[in-house]
Amino acid sequence: MNYSTMQRLRYNYKPKMPDVFYKDFASIKPEIGKSTAALTNQEELKELFPNTYGMPVIKFVEGKSGCTSKPLKFGVILSGGQAPGGHNVISGLYDALKKSNKNSKLYGFLYGPEGLVKGNYIEIKKELIDKYRNTGGFDIIGSGRAKIETEEQVADSIKNVKKLGLDALVIIGGDDSNTNAAFLAKYFIKAELHTKVIGVPKTIDGDLKNEYIEISFGFDTATKLYSELIGNICRDVNSARKYWHFIKLMGRSASHIALECALKTQPNVCLIGEELAEKKWTLKQVTEYITDIIVKRSQNGENFGVVLVPEGIIEFIPEMDELIEELNDLMAANAASFTKLKTFTGKLNWLKKKLSKKAFNLFDSLPETISLQLLMDRDPHGNVQVSRIETEKLLISLVTNKIKELKKEGKFNGKFSTYAHFFGYEGRSAFPSNFDSDYCYTLGFTAFLLAANGFSGYIASVQNLTDEVKYWQPYGVPLSMMMTMEKRKGKTVPVIKKSLIDLNGKPFKEFEKNRDNWAINTVYRFPGAIQYFGDSEVCEIPTKTLLLEKGNLKQKRKGKKAK
Amino acid sequence: MNYSTMQRLRYNYKPKMPDVFYKDFASIKPEIGKSTAALTNQEELKELFPNTYGMPVIKFVEGKSGCTSKPLKFGVILSGGQAPGGHNVISGLYDALKKSNKNSKLYGFLYGPEGLVKGNYIEIKKELIDKYRNTGGFDIIGSGRAKIETEEQVADSIKNVKKLGLDALVIIGGDDSNTNAAFLAKYFIKAELHTKVIGVPKTIDGDLKNEYIEISFGFDTATKLYSELIGNICRDVNSARKYWHFIKLMGRSASHIALECALKTQPNVCLIGEELAEKKWTLKQVTEYITDIIVKRSQNGENFGVVLVPEGIIEFIPEMDELIEELNDLMAANAASFTKLKTFTGKLNWLKKKLSKKAFNLFDSLPETISLQLLMDRDPHGNVQVSRIETEKLLISLVTNKIKELKKEGKFNGKFSTYAHFFGYEGRSAFPSNFDSDYCYTLGFTAFLLAANGFSGYIASVQNLTDEVKYWQPYGVPLSMMMTMEKRKGKTVPVIKKSLIDLNGKPFKEFEKNRDNWAINTVYRFPGAIQYFGDSEVCEIPTKTLLLEKGNLKQKRKGKKAK
């Protein structure tokens, strides 16, 4: 046997579920709410999704259900980047299917949506699922970033779904994958398939969140792991007292990860993309903001510190965003002539002629390594690959230059020495925390019950997540009500709105209130490693963002009882 | 209160100790062994340490002791890089002092040995130590890399020790710091001070190890944390199936960290510096070795993998080591003219004239970013700062070029995309594992008992570490017997021998036996986060290196009982 002790012990963990899910499925009632409407562009969306628009929210409560108990066949797809807990959605789904009827079957499509298009799948049986319970990664069936968009892809998907006789298809993914799920639901109904389509909200970035979705799965585990490492670095700088560590964190479209980690560890600087965009800060202003804190700390004899940088930050700084847009367009329009330019000087001269003056001046002011990264190969959508750009090193370079200036002017007498980090990949496939284990398993059950009760075009949702698990409330939410119309790649298309940090929301306000203290005074917090065993006090620590947004329901309940 | 849950709960952890240490100090007998001799150069070392050479090994057993119970004053110094458990050595020392006599006092010298030279110290009292029990980092008193070497430094140290009336000085550090401790012991005796000097073996690198020292503290925690992250990356590559991750690990002088992490996680490639040196491999051979595995895996459809690279690797590759030596010498001898060269081309032309042809050709073949890193500022000893050199990126660059060649020749049809990591600073200040918590606390007690029983020039040692803690055996080992003479910076000086990986030892043999399987087949292991609570099965997992070297005494004991 080649399993680590942790792996062996995690196989035996029994995920907790809301009380209602321990009932017989015939006694779990899908309570039907009022019909819903999209966030914006209601008429357009109604037209785009004629057969799923306006459906009601579903709440699962104790009561009589018409849920079938005949054998069912479900398919499941993992879509996009890994997030801790994916295996538990699948094990929840599997257990619910087998609880409903022991002859029910679960098929896993391999390597993402592509597996459905190509008819590439395996049956998920007991021996297999038991090796993946409560473990990280998406390796049980692999994942992929393909979308099912073209007519041909849709036709192939329908063919494969028919061939297997699937009663439901569960798509575990982020905002784009769930948008794709909404389309599939529509196409399946149109094709008169009885196959229901259910989405499950996944992303460590935390930007798939709204009135009905309190948190996407994986965010809890990933931010705990990053905070462990950041806390360790904080302790290290406070011991060695001679380095500034610049730490880049994942989060391209939103800075939720950085904000949560900052609330957990209290670093000296944490940049928030949404704030920089709102204030329209330039790179120069960001540099001055960080430098100012370095100078003040140095005056206190503390030539050390920790800076958190969300990876998406450069797209939030308006001038950088404009530069990147210009570069994307130029490189797409002139791909052939651009790739012929072999030297950096050659590229620079070419860009001088083609870029706007403002954009070129900014480009020319950047360190060469960063300029080269901005000119790297684009992703399949023609976008620069943000996680490949060493933003943390860009800031180090700019701040170092600023510090040199100040030294010359006699305004800085301290020392300034740096290290750069990028924490990302090490958190996407960690063993899911007990929270993510329980949450994902419950999401798997919810997805099953939605489809088994005949709903399609829904996303599984669980609320009251800051309460004890037994009081969690499972819902089904129509995907169409979470949609809006946005311009993507030049076309206006329906999308699930990405949740950015609300600068008036409690998590940001809490950060804003404290950051000047954290900047100058050394008041780091050290969360330590994720604990999976022992008391709930240590192995069920809720996410700060969620606690601030939703309040601590567990504590409130206890408070009530105490009265 | 600004403590994390983990921190609060770790304050309450009671470190375990060997049974004998629960006795009254009057009932713990320092059993005196035979007189000892140095590893090599006995005559020279005897002359260098006339008053401490040849002392016996001390074994602490139950029995009558002449240990004093009058109030004592101890000083303690943290020296060099952080290692998890330093705070527990100090809390063990504190508790032993207070157990001996509640009026005993412990002083902490601030920011390393410099604190002793400058007389910069604090008294460590209950309120302070209670905030640092079982926590990571060296922030209780800070650390530093200074040595006490010059006559003036020694004189100042003696003056400050006298002023405080110290009965003992405990130095927590690596091989160099313990060599320094051996010298201080000699100087203090010569100056007729009654102050005893005791060393404690610290380093995450694991290279302070010998017949008497089974493991240095911090190695267990740091390798567990790195292995957690490596395991997560392994899971990630096996899910996404599209990246090769090259991970640099700490370990400049020896590759113990990489070997332990490889044994825990079973990656596709792990380079071992000692082996490359033994086989006299060139960079080209290393590149070909890695590329060959990438090609084979690609033929199996697996265009992904994980490569571990110890940071010291470039000094183990003979041709690189020669190049670095030549550069160090050149830059030291021509510092003024070298710093005048502003452009890379200018430097390159200068080096072409000055370096040997072989060295220049190698230098010229490296990627420019690496060449620039090789020319960066030297450390205070005139050495290149190895941890600043992105060896993982050097290998990525060389392998990428090789893969391009193979593609052109039609010998590689797969994809090759990479990510680079350096895991180091995030592990040095982690919360110590239960093993390191117990081990360090026991080392603190051992250091106290050695000094309180009148021994000086000793290092604290605990053996039988793979057994249950109650059976651990504390010792005192004369520092002089661990010494040898080595050439450092052109002078032959006494040093504590660094322990390199023994290529005939069991840990390397175990790795060698399995690595071809790990390379081609995907058999990653996922150790997960360090667990501090719950069953000993999960929170007291022994280090693989130690288990292979010493055998599993706990299991043997159980086996005996069962018979």
Side-chain angles (χ1 to χ4, degrees), chain B residues 103-117:
Chain B
N103 294 317
S104 289
K105 288 188 176 190
L106 179 61
Y107 299 97
F109 292 100
L110 298 177
Y111 314 132
E114 201 184 78
L116 174 59
V117 176

Side-chain angles (χ1 to χ4, degrees), chain A residues 244 255 258-259 262-263 265-279 281 286 289-290 292-293 296-297 306 308 310 313 501 503 507-524:
Chain A
W244 274 85
S255 304
L259 179 58
L263 291 168
T265 61
Q266 307 184 174
N268 305 101
V269 178
C270 174
L271 301 176
I272 300 293
E274 290 84 340
E275 185 185 20
L276 301 187
E278 167 81 16
K279 292 185 172 170
W281 270 20
V286 174
Y289 169 71
I290 300 173
D292 189 48
I293 290 170
K296 282 190 186 142
R297 287 182 60 79
V306 171
L308 303 187
I313 208 89
I501 287 180
L503 300 181
F508 182 78
K509 285 287 170 200
E510 176 72 16
F511 166 71
E512 199 181 27
K513 194 176 75 188
N514 288 292
R515 65 175 156 191
D516 291 343
N517 175 28
W518 300 348
I520 305 308
N521 303 312
T522 299
V523 286
Y524 305 132

Side-chain angles (χ1 to χ4, degrees), chain A residues 92-257:
Chain A
L93 200 54
Y94 176 89
D95 290 348
L97 269 161
K98 294 295 180 181
K99 178 179 167 182
S100 159
N101 185 307
K102 69 177 172 26
N103 294 316
S104 288
K105 288 188 175 186
L106 179 61
Y107 299 96
F109 292 101
L110 298 177
Y111 314 133
E114 201 185 78
L116 174 59
V117 176
K118 292 190 175 169
N120 194 7
Y121 65 88
I122 54 167
E123 189 186 335
I124 296 175
K125 297 187 178 176
K126 185 177 185 309
E127 304 73 57
L128 184 69
I129 195 72
D130 283 351
K131 280 184 192 143
Y132 289 89
R133 290 178 187 274
N134 312 301
T135 61
F138 279 4
D139 41 326
I140 185 170
I141 49 174
S143 183
R145 292 191 180 272
K147 295 276 165 297
I148 302 171
E149 286 174 327
T150 67
E151 270 183 44
E152 206 187 337
Q153 288 168 331
V154 173
D156 284 345
S157 301
I158 290 176
K159 190 187 73 190
N160 289 320
V161 158
K162 270 189 185 166
K163 207 191 273 177
L164 274 170
L166 290 189
D167 297 292
L169 178 68
V170 176
I171 297 178
I172 303 169
D175 52 338
D176 278 353
S177 309
N178 276 291
T179 301
N180 209 210
F183 274 105
L184 285 183
K186 162 182 152 171
Y187 297 142
F188 285 5
I189 295 172
K190 208 172 149 202
E192 296 184 346
L193 289 186
H194 74 292
T195 316
K196 315 300 174 201
V197 182
I198 305 294
V200 176
K202 170 230 72 168
T203 166
I204 62 162
D205 290 354
D207 55 8
L208 174 47
K209 179 164 82 166
N210 54 44
E211 193 190 339
Y212 285 93
I213 299 183
E214 297 188 351
I215 190 173
S216 53
F217 80 75
F219 181 76
D220 182 75
T221 307
T223 52
K224 281 194 164 93
L225 188 129
Y226 301 142
S227 298
E228 171 197 4
L229 302 182
I230 295 164
N232 289 354
I233 297 274
C234 288
R235 193 122 218 181
D236 204 81
V237 298
N238 195 28
S239 302
R241 304 175 66 87
K242 58 182 178 181
Y243 296 122
W244 274 85
H245 287 254
F246 283 62
I247 302 171
K248 188 170 77 168
L249 293 167
M250 279 196 167
R252 175 173 182 168
S253 309
S255 304
H256 296 292
I257 289 181

Side-chain angles (χ1 to χ4, degrees), chain B residues 76 106-110 115-116 118-124 141 160 163-164:
Chain B
V76 64
L106 179 61
Y107 299 97
F109 292 100
L110 298 177
L116 174 59
K118 292 189 175 169
N120 193 8
Y121 66 87
I122 55 168
E123 188 186 336
I124 296 174
I141 49 174
N160 289 321
K163 207 192 273 175
L164 274 169

Side-chain angles (χ1 to χ4, degrees), chain A residues 51-123:
Chain A
N51 46 26
T52 57
Y53 187 86
M55 297 187 302
V57 169
I58 304 302
K59 181 178 181 180
F60 288 102
V61 294
E62 201 182 328
K64 220 180 144 192
S65 148
C67 188
T68 177
S69 64
K70 66 169 200 214
L72 295 171
K73 287 180 182 173
F74 272 47
V76 64
I77 293 173
L78 288 164
S79 181
Q82 283 80 258
H87 290 157
N88 270 33
V89 177
I90 298 180
S91 58
L93 200 54
Y94 176 89
D95 290 348
L97 269 161
K98 294 295 180 181
K99 178 179 167 182
S100 159
N101 185 307
K102 69 177 172 26
N103 294 316
S104 288
K105 288 188 175 186
L106 179 61
Y107 299 96
F109 292 101
L110 298 177
Y111 314 133
E114 201 185 78
L116 174 59
V117 176
K118 292 190 175 169
N120 194 7
Y121 65 88
I122 54 167
E123 189 186 335

